[in-house]
C-alpha cells in the first residue's frame, strides 16, 4: 500500500465545524499507520473560517491550508488540493463531517487493487427531499457515464495521486471523479460508509443545483469523453 496520504478538506463558511474537524481528523491520524497531511482549502469563506484554519495550522503542523481570493466552488477546491498534494494518495472529506474520517480505513483496504475507492452513504441522515433529489441526480449521471457508481456525491474518497493529478477538471467535476478515473483506464470501487446528520453550519447545495447541475455537467462530460486523449507507449528508443 502507498504510505503517504493527503486529506483534502474544502471549506466554505464552516466556522462552527472546524474545531471538530481538527479533533476528529487528529484522532484518525493518531491511529493510522500512514503518514498523513491534512490540507484545508478555504474557498473564499465570508465568516471566520480562515482565521480558525490559520490557528489550527499554527498549532498543529500536520495541518496546512490554501486560501482562495474568492469563492470558486467545490470542484475548484478539490482540484487545488490535487495540484498541491505531494503524497502517493489523496483523500477527500467534507468539513461538515457527515462522513467519518475513521471510514477512510474501509476505503484503504482496497486501494492496492483499485485506483479510486469511494464511499457510498448507507442509511443517509438527510431530509427526504435531499435524499430523493440526490437519488434522481445520481440516476441521471449514471445513465450518461455508465460508471456503475451509486453515490458519486459521497464526500469520502481515496485516489492514487498520479491518477488524481491527471483528471481534466471542470465545474461540477466532484460528481464525476469515478468516471474520470475510468477515462484513464483506471479502476474504481465503491464501499458502504457511515453517514451522519449535519449538526452545524448550512448545506451548500439545494434541490435545483443538485438536479439541474448534474444534467448540464453530464453534457459537458459526454463532450469531454469524445475528445479525451488517452494513450499508452508501446515502445521507445
Amino acid at each position: 500500500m502507498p504510505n503517504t496520504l493527503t486529506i483534502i478538506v474544502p471549506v466554505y463558511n464552516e466556522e462552527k465545524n472546524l474545531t471538530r474537524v481538527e479533533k476528529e481528523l487528529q484522532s484518525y491520524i493518531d491511529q493510522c499507520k500512514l503518514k498523513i497531511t491534512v490540507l484545508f482549502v478555504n474557498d473564499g469563506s465570508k465568516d471566520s473560517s480562515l482565521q480558525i484554519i490559520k490557528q489550527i495550522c499554527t498549532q498543529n503542523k500536520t495541518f496546512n491550508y490554501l486560501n482562495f481570493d474568492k469563492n470558486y466552488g467545490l470542484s475548484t477546491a478539490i482540484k487545488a488540493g490535487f495540484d498541491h498534494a505531494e503524497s502517493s494518495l489523496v483523500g477527500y472529506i467534507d468539513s461538515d463531517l457527515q462522513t467519518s474520517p475513521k471510514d477512510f480505513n474501509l476505503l484503504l483496504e482496497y486501494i492496492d487493487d483499485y485506483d479510486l475507492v469511494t464511499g457510498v452513504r448507507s442509511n443517509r441522515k438527510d431530509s427526504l427531499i435531499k435524499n430523493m433529489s440526490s437519488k434522481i441526480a445520481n440516476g441521471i449521471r449514471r445513465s450518461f457515464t455508465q460508471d456503475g457508481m451509486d453515490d458519486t456525491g459521497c464526500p469520502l474518497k481515496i485516489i492514487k495521486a498520479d491518477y488524481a493529478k491527471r483528471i481534466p477538471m471542470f465545474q461540477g467535476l466532484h460528481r464525476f471523479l469515478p468516471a474520470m478515473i475510468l477515462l484513464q483506464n483506471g479502476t474504481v470501487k465503491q464501499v458502504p460508509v457511515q453517514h451522519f446528520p449535519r449538526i452545524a453550519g448550512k448545506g451548500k447545495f439545494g434541490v435545483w443545483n443538485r438536479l439541474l447541475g448534474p444534467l448540464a455537467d453530464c453534457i459537458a462530460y459526454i463532450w469531454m469523453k469524445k475528445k479525451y486523449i488517452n494513450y499508452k507507449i508501446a515502445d521507445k528508443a
Side-chain angles (χ1 to χ4, degrees), residues 8-206:
I8 300 162
V9 187
V11 177
Y12 180 62
N13 295 342
E14 293 286 0
E15 61 184 5
K16 295 180 179 179
N17 279 315
L18 290 173
T19 300
R20 191 164 62 97
V21 169
E22 179 193 17
K23 181 179 178 180
E24 293 205 16
L25 280 171
Q26 188 60 58
S27 175
Y28 172 66
I29 291 168
D30 289 342
Q31 57 85 39
C32 187
K33 296 179 180 180
L34 294 176
K35 180 181 179 181
I36 297 177
T37 298
V38 177
L39 180 60
F40 289 115
V41 183
N42 182 50
D43 187 18
S45 295
K46 296 178 175 62
D47 62 3
S48 62
S49 291
L50 178 59
Q51 289 76 13
I52 297 171
I53 288 170
K54 287 182 176 180
Q55 183 178 15
I56 290 171
C57 294
T58 298
Q59 297 173 347
N60 191 334
K61 298 306 180 183
T62 302
F63 290 72
N64 300 298
Y65 75 91
L66 304 172
N67 179 42
F68 287 166
D69 61 339
K70 63 178 183 179
N71 177 247
Y72 288 97
L74 179 57
S75 293
T76 305
I78 292 173
K79 172 175 171 50
F82 290 169
D83 290 345
H84 287 81
E86 298 179 353
S87 51
S88 54
L89 297 173
V90 291
Y92 156 53
I93 190 170
D94 273 354
S95 49
D96 60 17
L97 288 181
Q98 288 194 257
T99 52
S100 171
K102 294 179 181 178
D103 282 351
F104 276 126
N105 283 342
L106 300 175
L107 311 187
L108 287 167
E109 289 182 16
Y110 299 94
I111 200 60
D112 281 347
D113 299 319
Y114 296 90
D115 302 306
L116 175 149
V117 186
T118 181
V120 178
R121 292 167 286 189
S122 57
N123 193 21
R124 287 186 63 171
K125 305 300 183 181
D126 291 322
S127 68
L128 177 62
I129 292 176
K130 185 175 181 180
N131 285 340
M132 289 300 297
S133 61
S134 291
K135 186 174 182 179
I136 294 170
N138 271 302
I140 293 171
R141 178 207 41 74
R142 189 167 53 247
S143 67
F144 276 84
T145 64
Q146 300 296 310
D147 61 7
M149 297 290 104
D150 297 315
D151 184 17
T152 58
C154 179
L156 197 74
K157 293 177 172 62
I158 295 281
I159 313 173
K160 289 177 179 172
D162 54 344
Y163 279 84
K165 290 176 179 294
R166 291 197 300 264
I167 293 175
M169 301 291 282
F170 59 88
Q171 291 298 333
L173 180 87
H174 58 278
R175 304 180 182 100
F176 290 82
L177 291 174
M180 289 298 180
I181 299 301
L182 292 174
L183 275 183
Q184 300 179 46
N185 296 321
T187 54
V188 300
K189 183 176 180 61
Q190 54 186 0
V191 178
V193 297
Q194 302 174 89
H195 191 245
F196 305 91
R198 175 186 270 272
I199 64 173
K202 295 182 179 179
K204 308 304 186 292
F205 295 96

